[in-house]
Structure formats: structure tokens, C-alpha cells
Amino acid sequence: VTWSGESPLNFSDEAERARMNHAIAAVRAQLGRRYPVLLADRTVEDAEPLIVHNPAHRNEVLGEVAMASPGHLENAVSLAAKAQPDWASRPVSERAACLRRAASLIRTRRYELAAWEILEVGKTWREADADIVETIDYLEYYSQRMIELAEGQPLPQLPGERNTYHYIPRGVAVVIAPWNFPAAILTGMASAALVSGNAVLLKPAEQSSMIAVQLAQILREAGVTSALLHGGTST
């Protein structure tokens, strides 16, 4: 499967502007919710809350994000380590398919996710859309690249030897992402680790926690098992 890169939206088009305005209004209708820590197959609500404000309008409260404690993190590492060997044993094609499904889900929610970036981290319309475009491209790129890498690398074959070169998973990866590219950098690092057969703990920047929760949920919906992918802003 190949892809040629996602195209940015053209906001000189009145219809595109209308879609984005509609998405922003739809996201504003969801404000005030509480977003839990994602810990395996359960969510952690009873944790210290982080109140999220619109950085462009500080009096606008977007919602609350539950903060993971050291105890939550230790539990997440343990659960991820136990789930990782099964994930690593799955065919590369299966893991890559999860990334491609996630890319497809993000395409369907493109305006909505861009709207969240506009409200949560103060991105302009073009910047927010560009970050979502890059997020999709990362998912497609790493899925395609891992399928290529799974074939191994050619090595010199000396008399009496059969030499092979293959890439293997390493275990549990921790993704500590910044806020300035809240979807692309977080998803790019997570998708590279996941498609390689590793488990992932997501630690987004506090400024982009709500976006991170939604991206983690998308990856889970795409087929990444809950015990393999944990997400939450830590204290």
C-alpha cells in the first residue's frame, strides 16, 4: 500500500471555511467535559484535575483532564510490559493495518481535530490543519516503512554462514510530546513504536492533553489493544 501525502485544506474556498466554522462550533458544544487517564481497559477519573483554558481567551474553560499519579504510572508500565510480547508476536501487516485504520479515522474527523487544536493550543486554522495532515502522513509513512523493514536487510553470505538482519521490538516506549505540534509529534512517535511491536505510554504536554486523549482513543479504536497503549498527563 502506498500513499502520496495528504493535501492541506484550501481556506480560500468558502465551503472549507464553512466546514471549519461548523467544526469549531461543534467542539465548543462539547466544552466542560472531564477527560480521564487511560489505563489499560479502564479509565481513571478520581485523580487530580487539570483545568484546561483556551490560551487565546483565558476565561474560556475547555474542560478538565485527570492527572496520572506515580502509582498510575507504575501500574501502566507493568500492564504495558505484560501486553507487549503478544503484540510483538503479531504479523507486521496486522500492526501496520492498525496505523492505516487510525489514519482513516483521523481523515473523517479532520475538521474536528483541527478545531480542538485551535481552541486548546491557539493554533491558526492553517497551522491546525497542517498538524493534522502531518499526523495522517506519519501514520501512513510508518505503516509502509515497517512493512519494508520487516523484510530484513541483505548481508554478505560467507561460506558456511547464513546471515540475516532483522529488526525486533524492544519493549515499552515512553512518548513525552511537546505542545507545539500536539497531534503530529505525539502520534508520530507513538505510531513508530507501536508498528515496531512495542507498547507505548503517552505523556502529552499539559497544554495539549485533551487532544492527546482523543488521539489515544482513535488508536485504540483502530485496533491497538487497550493494555498496550496508556495515556495521561502526569503530575
Side-chain angles (χ1 to χ4, degrees):
V1 178
T2 59
W3 101 107
S4 57
E6 209 70 18
S7 298
L9 297 175
N10 178 11
F11 290 117
S12 65
D13 185 333
E14 183 179 356
E16 297 286 22
R17 295 198 301 274
R19 292 187 188 99
M20 182 57 77
N21 276 316
H22 177 76
I24 293 172
V27 166
R28 277 209 158 97
Q30 303 175 47
L31 300 187
R33 296 179 179 178
R34 182 173 172 83
Y35 294 82
V37 175
L38 300 178
L39 188 61
D41 59 354
R42 70 185 183 94
T43 55
V44 178
E45 299 279 1
D46 57 342
E48 180 185 348
L50 170 69
I51 310 300
V52 181
H53 296 265
N54 182 336
H57 302 282
R58 295 296 299 173
N59 61 335
E60 182 177 38
V61 176
L62 305 184
E64 295 184 8
V65 177
M67 303 274 280
S69 68
H72 295 139
L73 296 177
E74 290 180 9
N75 194 14
V77 171
S78 176
L79 291 169
K82 290 178 182 177
Q84 187 269 334
D86 176 69
W87 177 251
S89 69
R90 299 188 186 190
V92 169
S93 59
E94 182 179 335
R95 301 198 302 260
C98 289
L99 266 60
R100 291 195 296 271
R101 283 193 295 270
S104 180
L105 289 168
I106 290 173
R107 286 188 186 96
T108 65
R109 296 178 57 183
R110 177 171 179 170
Y111 294 89
E112 176 197 354
L113 293 170
W116 274 114
E117 290 203 13
I118 291 165
L119 294 179
E120 189 175 18
V121 299
K123 290 282 189 183
T124 65
W125 287 19
R126 291 186 184 278
E127 289 175 339
D129 178 60
D131 191 49
I132 301 304
V133 164
E134 190 173 0
T135 302
I136 295 169
D137 284 348
Y138 272 136
L139 289 162
E140 295 284 4
Y141 171 78
Y142 284 121
S143 65
Q144 180 175 309
R145 188 73 180 113
M146 190 61 221
I147 289 175
E148 296 168 356
L149 291 175
E151 297 177 359
Q153 298 291 329
L155 290 176
Q157 300 299 319
L158 301 177
E161 296 181 0
R162 292 294 181 268
N163 299 314
T164 60
Y165 189 128
H166 293 283
Y167 296 88
I168 61 173
R170 299 301 299 271
V172 178
V174 178
V175 172
I176 303 176
W179 67 268
N180 56 324
F181 293 92
I185 294 180
L186 179 135
T187 306
M189 291 192 288
S191 60
L194 287 167
V195 79
S196 304
N198 303 291
V200 170
L201 273 61
L202 291 177
K203 195 286 178 192
E206 293 181 6
Q207 297 91 333
S208 54
S209 300
M210 297 167 74
I211 295 168
V213 169
Q214 295 177 67
L215 292 168
Q217 290 172 335
I218 286 172
L219 286 166
R220 288 181 169 192
E221 185 180 347
V224 177
T225 59
S226 59
L228 195 75
L229 178 68
H230 307 258
T233 298
S234 61
T235 54

